[in-house]
Amino acid sequence: MLILLTFSVIGIGSLIYSYWERNQLKVENYCIVSAKIKKKCRFIFLTDLHEKEFGKENCILLEKIRKAEPDFILIGGDFPISHSSEETDERDEAEAGAKLLSTLAKEYPVYYSMGNHEIKLFSKKEKKGQKTLFRNAFTGVEVVDGKAVFPEKGIRVAGFPLDISYYKPLFFKKKKVLEDKIRASWENALSSAIRGDPRETKGEECFTIAMLHSPFYIEEALSLPVDLLLSGHFHGGAVGIPFFAFMTPQFRFFVPKPRGLFQKGEQRYFISRGLGTHTINIRINNFPELSCFDLCPKEE
C-alpha cells in the first residue's frame, strides 16, 4: 500500500511539473562559423508548435522573436495537429498555428518546410474548415519543399520533403529505407535555387541550410552537400534523459542524440526540442525551445 501511494504521488507530481515545464519557453542561442558565410546574419528556427500558445495568441513567443531581431525565419513543420487514420479534418486543430504564421509573415521573410501533420491535414476531406484555414495562412510564406531559395546573399535554404509513409509507427521495427525518388527530390531541391536572385553568390560556394522534419533520415541528408541540417519531430524525446530520447512520436524508444547541435566532419545537424506536444503531452527536463542561430563569417 505504501509503495502504491509513493508511486501515485510521484506520478501526480511529475504530471504537475510537466504541465509547468511545457509553458516555460526557452530561447537557445547557437553560433555557426564558416568560411562560406560572407556576412553575418541571424535566423530563428521554429518547429512542432502543435497548436501550443505561449500567452494569448502566442504573445510571449512573438515578443521573444522580435527581441532577437532575426533577418528571416525558418519553420520546420508540424504547426497544426492532425489525427492519423481519419478521413476528415473534424478533430484537427490549426487555428493557433495559422494565426502565428500569418503574424510572422507580415513582419519577416518566412520559409516553411512541411512535417507529417501538414501532410495529413492537407490530404483530408474538409469538414471543419481547418484545412482551408491553415492553407490561407501561407499567404506571404515561401514553402521550400523540393526547392531552394536565397534569403540572404550566399545563404541557400532548401526543404527535403518526405511523404507520410516515412512517419508510420516504428516500435522495434527498422525505419523505411529512403527511396531513390525521395533522394532525387532532395538533390533537385539543392539545384533549383532561383536563378537571377541578387542574393545568390555567383561563382562562389554558398552556405547551404536544409530542413528535414524527421531526424531518422539525417544520415541520408548529410550525404548531400548540406552545411547545416535542421530537424524537429522528436519533441526532444519527451523526457530529457542525457544522450537519449525516452520516446519519439513514432514510438521508437531510447533513440540516441534526440536534441541539440551536432557536428559530423565539416557538416552540422540540429534537432530542436520543439515548441509543443501532442497526444502524449509530457515534457520533463526538456523545455520547449525557440532556436536562434547566428551565421558568422570565419575570421582570417
Side-chain angles (χ1 to χ4, degrees):
M1 184 66 182
L2 181 58
I3 294 175
L4 179 61
L5 181 60
T6 300
F7 277 104
S8 297
V9 170
I10 292 173
I12 293 171
S14 297
L15 290 174
I16 293 172
Y17 174 81
S18 174
Y19 176 82
W20 173 84
E21 185 173 302
R22 285 188 284 121
N23 290 284
Q24 307 306 307
L25 178 62
K26 301 293 185 181
V27 178
E28 302 289 1
N29 295 286
Y30 305 92
C31 182
I32 305 294
V33 178
S34 172
K36 295 181 181 180
I37 300 168
K38 307 306 179 185
K39 179 184 176 184
K40 183 177 180 179
C41 65
R42 172 176 289 179
F43 71 87
I44 294 290
F45 178 56
L46 305 174
T47 187
D48 297 280
L49 181 72
H50 290 301
E51 285 296 280
K52 176 64 180 173
E53 288 187 274
F54 297 94
K56 185 178 180 181
E57 296 185 343
N58 267 307
C59 61
I60 295 173
L61 174 59
L62 286 166
E63 180 183 3
K64 291 182 183 294
I65 292 173
R66 290 165 182 148
K67 186 176 180 180
E69 298 183 338
D71 296 294
F72 57 95
I73 293 176
L74 302 182
I75 298 177
D78 277 11
F79 261 35
I81 295 174
S82 185
H83 297 277
S84 301
S85 304
E86 296 185 10
E87 294 185 357
T88 74
D89 68 347
E90 186 173 10
R91 291 202 308 126
D92 291 354
E93 302 170 48
E95 292 92 342
K99 177 67 176 177
L100 178 60
L101 193 56
S102 296
T103 301
L104 290 173
K106 293 173 184 175
E107 300 183 31
Y108 306 99
V110 178
Y111 304 94
Y112 201 108
S113 181
M114 303 287 182
N116 51 306
H117 282 256
E118 288 89 355
I119 297 170
K120 288 187 288 187
L121 177 62
F122 289 141
S123 69
K124 291 180 178 181
K125 297 176 183 178
E126 190 148 35
K127 187 171 183 178
K128 200 174 70 172
Q130 297 300 289
K131 184 175 175 178
T132 296
L133 173 71
F134 197 67
R135 180 178 286 119
N136 290 343
F138 280 89
T139 301
V141 174
E142 182 102 31
V143 178
V144 296
D145 284 335
K147 68 177 185 179
V149 297
F150 285 85
E152 295 285 327
K153 182 176 175 62
I155 305 296
R156 176 171 61 174
V157 173
F160 287 178
L162 292 167
D163 63 51
I164 199 63
S165 67
Y166 290 89
Y167 292 101
K168 292 181 179 179
L170 293 173
F171 296 102
F172 300 100
K173 297 183 294 184
K174 291 183 179 180
K175 69 180 185 182
K176 180 179 178 179
V177 175
L178 192 74
E179 297 171 289
D180 290 342
K181 67 178 181 179
I182 299 295
R183 181 183 171 83
S185 74
W186 295 1
E187 293 172 342
N188 291 336
L190 293 176
S191 63
S192 69
I194 302 170
R195 300 302 166 187
D197 190 315
R199 292 164 293 187
E200 181 179 354
T201 301
K202 299 293 185 181
E204 301 177 23
E205 281 190 309
C206 59
F207 185 86
T208 299
I209 303 169
M211 289 189 284
L212 167 66
H213 187 66
S214 173
F216 283 125
Y217 295 91
I218 281 175
E219 289 294 327
E220 292 84 345
L222 291 180
S223 69
L224 300 175
V226 172
D227 298 295
L228 175 62
L229 182 67
L230 303 174
S231 297
H233 188 51
F234 282 177
H235 308 163
V239 179
I241 302 171
F243 313 116
F244 288 92
F246 174 69
M247 181 180 67
T248 72
Q250 290 174 253
F251 300 103
R252 172 65 61 81
F253 298 88
F254 301 108
V255 176
K257 296 181 179 179
R259 66 194 83 83
L261 180 64
F262 305 95
Q263 188 157 352
K264 183 180 180 182
E266 295 298 315
Q267 296 173 298
R268 296 176 178 87
Y269 62 97
F270 174 71
I271 306 173
S272 173
R273 299 192 303 265
L275 294 163
T277 57
H278 70 89
T279 310
I280 301 174
N281 296 305
I282 294 175
R283 280 188 182 272
I284 296 175
N285 192 31
N286 179 39
F287 288 88
E289 171 178 3
L290 186 159
S291 312
C292 181
F293 281 84
D294 284 319
L295 302 181
C296 302
K298 186 176 183 179
E299 296 181 0
E300 297 295 335

